Amino acid sequence: MSDTFFSGAPHWRWLIILYFFVGGLAGGACFLAALLDWFGRPEDRPVVRTGYYVAAWGALISGLLLTIDLGRPLRFWHMLFQSANLPALMFKGWSPISFGAWAILLFGLFSVLSALGAMAEEGRLQTPAFHLLHRGALAKLVVAVAGLLGFFVAGYTGILLSVTNRPIWADSPWLGALFVASGASTGAAALMLLAPGRGATPRSLEWLSSFDSNALVVELLVLVVFLVSLGSVNRVWVSVWGLLLLVGVVGFGILVPLGLHLKPARFGSLATRPVVNAAKLVLLGGFLLRLATILASEGIDRYRVAVGM
Amino acid sequence: MPEAMGFFTDTTVCIGCKACEVACKEWNQLPAENGGIRELSGDSYDNTRRLDGIHWRHVRFIEQFSGPYNGRWLMMSDVCKHCVQAGCIEVCPTGAIIRTEFDTVVIQSDVCNGCRACISACPFGVIDINAVAGTAQKCTLCYDRLKVGLEPACAKACPTDSIQFGPITELRARAQKRKDQLRAQGVEAQLYGADPQGPLGGLNSFYLLVDEPEVYGLPRNPKLPSRNLKQSTSFSVASAAVLGVLALVGLRKRRMDEQPPSLS
């Protein structure tokens, strides 16, 4: 038996599952938007702007979810400042939850700046200062930082789970990589769904669809490696969470959307709007991945208590 | 500076009276569960079942029976191990968990914000949320009593001296002597957590056991949560790099496709 089976579950449930999903999606969308901002073409601007909006809202919602989930929400700032030694900063480079709190804060700041730049670009903000956020070197720097922080936020949640003593989470070092890939695929999916409403061109959507296929392949490969690395701990998947992982995540969340991207004609009624349907399924798969991974480990606590461990 | 203090729990003399549990609850003013209406476990005489935010001491009953007249009881008063290398201190993002001058581990309830990272970091399942306080809580090794020269309430209340309190070096010598005594009598006794060269640099609350650690609900080789940090970070960065390259390759391919074919 893995030594992880003797630990207690932290009761990270729906708010944290939702945060992992929203944070991953926002981070992935921001990374893709920043990439298109730097290396894309003028026709990609609607996707770029949509990415920054998704990132900004995602970061704000993430911060809210994390705060509400605390046992003492009004003490959220204790993660950022030493409460007994103000204004000294609270930061532990070796604790994912500590550097994650800073990452969320900074990601929120830079993604909101990027979103303000996007609003200025659309003419919704007239103040000249905001135009610095979508034109010139400063804007490029801001979006680059936002994009990198986005990918960091998408992946650190998996590292956070690995740096525990819980079954599944601490039994493999691959969760961070898996969440990065899932963040990228769900970020692309969110853009595929939202960007057409903001004037995205077919060529931009085609690139997103192509990238999403690649991200799904990477996600599938990392998922397989993750499961192999779990070894004997895999017996925990003989449960409803295992079924969810196999059918919901691998089947509907990865293989079907991959098929819709590559061979849409084979998918009957789903093929009428392949990109949209693939994007919806990728989002569902991304959510179910977090759900199954977190609740499979949380559920083991009931077993532990039941047998008096 | 005072020397390192801790507990040596000799499980062979524990009679399961739960006086330690009661003394702990009383001294630390821990609330009752479910308004005092306890749900019985139904399959054990142990109804506390586990350590958590309102049970900082738990007398574990291990009922090894293969029939009504064939078996034995093992009892162990479980508590926070006050690890020399503590996973909870390592991950705590608020600095609420500190190491005291007695080399014990204490959660400062006025600093903790209830993020629960320490719960999943503890390899022993010791910490949990105290719903009344909204913060993570566990044994403090009666820090307030130690400050005024008193021994912890549980050790004071233990009627058989199963829980012994004192300087760690002294307790280790005593534990070794007791183990040798039991072994001379043919009992398969072993010490758990007494070795400073062992897992987590040794435990400041260690045990004398007469069965395998897993039987008592103890991990054989407890580890720090940070053991996965470097590898997990490396794999995440690699995954991000692969995705970044794939995205750039896709953009390059799109640009190449847009260029008109060369006439030469």
Side-chain angles (χ1 to χ4, degrees):
Chain A
M1 181 190 283
S2 167
D3 284 320
T4 55
F5 281 82
F6 297 87
S7 61
H11 322 298
W12 287 337
R13 304 232 168 93
W14 292 104
L15 291 173
I16 295 296
I17 293 166
L18 206 55
Y19 157 61
F20 278 18
F21 173 66
V22 172
L25 179 156
C30 193
F31 176 77
L32 292 175
L35 208 72
L36 284 175
D37 201 333
W38 270 73
F39 304 106
R41 302 175 63 89
E43 65 182 10
D44 294 322
R45 293 307 299 175
V47 176
V48 171
R49 290 193 297 270
T50 309
Y52 296 147
Y53 294 142
V54 169
W57 279 111
L60 292 174
I61 292 169
S62 295
L64 199 65
L65 289 169
L66 276 178
T67 304
I68 296 170
D69 184 67
L70 294 173
R72 299 292 292 261
L74 292 178
R75 294 184 186 169
F76 72 94
W77 61 274
H78 287 200
M79 288 193 176
L80 305 170
F81 297 96
Q82 295 177 21
S83 57
N85 192 24
L86 282 170
L89 297 182
M90 186 65 225
F91 179 75
K92 285 182 177 178
W94 57 90
S95 167
I97 200 161
S98 177
F99 61 66
W102 278 102
I104 279 285
L105 183 77
L106 294 175
F107 175 55
L109 176 69
F110 280 89
S111 59
V112 165
L113 288 175
S114 304
L116 290 173
M119 288 174 76
E121 186 181 341
E122 287 177 344
R124 293 157 69 189
L125 292 173
Q126 301 298 337
T127 315
F130 289 119
H131 289 282
L132 291 172
L133 294 170
H134 80 90
R135 274 197 302 255
L138 178 67
K140 288 286 184 199
L141 184 68
V142 166
V143 300
V145 174
L148 291 173
L149 282 168
F151 240 9
F152 186 90
V153 167
Y156 101 88
T157 48
I159 300 173
L160 187 153
L161 293 181
S162 286
V163 182
T164 63
N165 263 308
R166 288 297 297 158
I168 302 175
W169 306 346
D171 289 309
S172 168
W174 285 96
L175 263 180
L178 182 60
F179 281 15
V180 167
S182 174
S185 65
T186 52
L191 293 180
M192 285 191 288
L193 282 176
L194 298 173
R198 295 190 164 273
T201 62
R203 287 192 64 77
S204 297
L205 293 175
E206 198 180 306
W207 177 80
L208 277 175
S209 167
S210 162
F211 174 79
D212 200 33
S213 302
N214 289 332
L216 287 170
V217 170
V218 172
E219 188 180 343
L220 185 62
L221 289 175
V222 178
L223 181 59
V224 170
V225 174
F226 164 66
L227 292 175
V228 169
S229 69
L230 285 178
S232 63
V233 177
N234 270 313
R235 67 196 164 104
V236 300
W237 294 116
V238 185
S239 65
V240 66
W241 308 120
L243 190 69
L244 203 65
L245 190 75
L246 189 68
V247 178
V249 179
V250 177
F252 288 105
I254 297 178
L255 294 178
V256 174
L258 205 52
L260 281 168
H261 282 310
L262 302 175
K263 306 250 183 210
R266 293 189 181 176
F267 287 85
S269 60
L270 283 176
T272 49
R273 298 173 73 200
V275 172
V276 170
N277 288 328
K280 285 178 181 170
L281 286 171
V282 168
L283 291 179
L284 175 73
F287 179 74
L288 293 181
L289 174 68
R290 271 85 174 173
L291 182 87
T293 314
I294 292 178
L295 293 187
S297 184
E298 282 280 344
I300 292 166
D301 206 42
R302 291 187 191 157
Y303 165 78
R304 176 178 162 264
V305 174
V307 298
M309 274 171 64
Chain B
M1 184 173 165
E3 57 185 320
M5 306 296 274
F7 291 126
F8 160 48
T9 305
D10 180 352
T11 65
T12 62
V13 291
C14 179
I15 55 172
C17 69
K18 294 196 178 239
C20 52
E21 271 192 42
V22 176
C24 176
K25 276 232 168 208
E26 195 169 338
W27 180 260
N28 293 298
Q29 300 185 331
L30 296 175
E33 190 175 15
N34 195 24
I37 305 166
R38 174 163 294 287
E39 195 177 310
L40 300 180
S41 59
D43 61 352
S44 167
Y45 285 98
D46 174 14
N47 292 309
T48 308
R49 299 305 259 167
R50 62 177 299 189
L51 290 166
D52 58 32
I54 57 172
H55 299 102
W56 298 356
R57 266 278 173 196
H58 166 222
V59 181
R60 193 184 291 278
F61 290 8
I62 298 120
E63 293 133 334
Q64 294 178 322
F65 287 88
S66 55
Y69 306 108
N70 183 22
R72 66 172 175 174
W73 292 82
L74 298 176
M75 284 154 187
M76 181 186 87
S77 183
D78 199 9
V79 72
C80 170
K81 314 301 179 286
H82 296 277
C83 313
V84 174
Q85 295 162 16
C88 56
I89 295 182
E90 195 175 58
V91 300
C92 177
T94 62
I97 308 183
I98 56 163
R99 185 168 296 285
T100 72
E101 64 271 36
F102 302 106
D103 204 21
T104 57
V105 178
V106 169
I107 302 176
Q108 304 173 96
S109 201
D110 59 332
V111 179
C112 174
N113 66 7
C115 75
R116 311 191 291 284
C118 54
I119 301 175
S120 57
C122 173
F124 303 102
V126 163
I127 311 173
D128 209 342
I129 287 288
N130 178 322
V132 176
T135 60
Q137 295 196 355
K138 68 166 192 72
C139 161
T140 65
L141 217 139
C142 281
Y143 183 57
D144 50 349
R145 290 174 66 96
L146 261 58
K147 291 283 275 185
V148 293
L150 296 173
E151 69 176 313
C154 53
K156 183 80 177 169
C158 180
T160 64
D161 258 355
S162 172
I163 303 169
Q164 298 178 35
F165 167 77
I168 287 294
T169 46
E170 200 178 293
L171 290 177
R172 280 189 188 135
R174 206 183 298 169
Q176 189 60 44
K177 203 171 157 188
R178 173 68 176 154
K179 188 186 92 171
D180 294 342
Q181 182 191 36
L182 286 168
R183 289 218 161 181
Q185 293 169 4
V187 179
E188 286 296 318
Q190 60 173 304
L191 294 177
Y192 180 86
D195 181 5
Q197 307 302 322
L200 307 179
L203 309 176
N204 283 344
S205 173
F206 60 93
Y207 299 83
L208 186 145
L209 311 175
V210 292
D211 208 328
E212 295 307 314
E214 290 89 345
V215 172
Y216 293 86
L218 297 167
R220 183 169 292 272
N221 187 20
K223 302 177 194 79
L224 283 172
S226 61
R227 68 188 181 281
N228 283 330
L229 183 61
K230 275 186 189 166
Q231 211 178 13
S232 189
T233 306
S234 308
F235 292 160
S236 303
V237 170
S239 174
V242 167
L243 289 159
V245 168
L246 286 172
L248 288 174
V249 168
L251 285 174
R252 188 168 187 277
K253 185 172 175 297
R254 187 177 71 167
R255 207 174 305 131
M256 300 288 277
D257 291 346
E258 281 168 0
Q259 284 174 358
S262 167
L263 294 174
S264 58

